[in-house]
Amino acid sequence: MITEVYFVRHAHSVFSLDEEETRGLSSKGWEDTKEVTKILIGEDIDYIVSSPYTRAIQTVEGLAGKLNKEIIRDERFRERDLASRSHHFNDPMEAKKHVFEDPFFQYPGGESNKAVKMRGIAALRDIISTHKGKKVAIGIHGHIMTCTMNFFSDQLHFDFWKSSSKPDIYKLQIDENFELLECKRLWNKKIEKGAKAKS
């Protein structure tokens, strides 16, 4: 029996570490959620799950409203803590690259990629077990999404994370043995470029 999981990376949000859990979408982000909803409406989604962070919930709110479905919040799909909030990085991008290169490494107060992958996979296994054979959309973040998908393929690492957009949608077909049968990107790059041109 195949379960279809749709990882929905949240739409654009203005970065603020102090408001990591509560910052909402930007005007561009809200505009892009209309297309997210349009794409997923055609997929006959059965359940909607999300990280508890505001920007992730807002990205799938339109879909939930159209389908009249509850958004089930799962703390395990929250974004990774790269380090404690007081930790300073001279080069944040290089710091992110390093944790992908060494999955067991963690900065002070942060999570290793291995730890992020373990909680993402634990949550995904629970979804497959609970909603076997169904279609589940998951509002998620870039790092936790990449680390979770890395379980199925070592090719999905730092470069994949960098290439992923906000928003983005990946459709995964997973069988009852927790084997990935297919992974397909549903977000249209032409739409993404068009949205950028307006911002």
Side-chain angles (χ1 to χ4, degrees), residues 10-14 24-36 59 165-168 187 191-199:
H10 68 81
H12 182 263
S13 175
V14 178
L25 299 180
S26 65
S27 57
K28 176 188 181 304
W30 279 114
E31 188 65 26
D32 284 344
T33 63
K34 297 175 184 177
E35 189 62 32
V36 169
T59 302
S165 61
K166 298 178 186 177
D168 217 334
W187 185 251
I191 295 168
E192 177 191 339
K193 288 178 181 177
K196 285 182 177 177
K198 294 176 186 176
S199 63

Side-chain angles (χ1 to χ4, degrees), residues 55-194:
R55 59 193 183 277
I57 293 171
Q58 289 178 340
T59 302
V60 294
E61 265 182 356
L63 176 67
K66 288 282 187 182
L67 297 177
N68 194 28
K69 292 185 182 296
E70 173 190 3
I71 298 175
I72 304 164
R73 303 184 187 196
D74 192 322
E75 174 72 19
R76 294 171 295 180
F77 288 123
R78 71 187 185 279
E79 185 57 301
R80 70 109 48 79
D81 291 317
L82 187 60
S84 65
R85 307 252 168 122
S86 61
H87 190 83
H88 174 71
F89 291 107
N90 292 322
D91 187 340
M93 188 60 70
E94 190 60 33
K96 292 172 184 177
K97 183 178 180 181
H98 184 64
V99 292
F100 277 96
E101 292 174 340
D102 184 351
F104 292 94
F105 177 81
Q106 63 186 81
Y107 291 101
E111 293 177 281
S112 69
N113 271 35
K114 180 68 174 179
V116 176
K117 180 192 291 188
M118 287 178 66
R119 68 173 163 88
I121 287 299
L124 187 58
R125 284 187 183 277
D126 284 349
I127 283 174
I128 300 297
S129 175
T130 304
H131 306 303
K132 191 177 297 182
K134 300 297 184 179
K135 297 185 177 188
V136 186
I138 302 174
I140 199 167
H141 307 264
H143 274 230
I144 176 67
M145 179 182 78
T146 302
C147 290
T148 302
M149 291 173 69
N150 176 261
F151 174 85
F152 300 107
S153 172
D154 290 338
Q155 300 301 311
L156 303 174
H157 46 65
F158 180 72
D159 290 338
F160 172 79
W161 169 75
K162 281 184 65 179
S163 70
S164 178
S165 61
K166 298 178 186 177
D168 217 334
I169 306 172
Y170 291 89
K171 177 180 179 179
L172 285 66
Q173 292 187 335
I174 303 172
D175 69 14
E176 55 194 8
N177 296 316
F178 207 67
E179 296 288 337
L180 179 64
L181 304 179
E182 183 179 48
C183 177
K184 181 180 180 182
R185 189 183 190 195
L186 300 187
W187 185 251
N188 187 325
K189 286 197 171 186
K190 289 182 181 178
I191 295 168
E192 177 191 339
K193 288 178 181 177

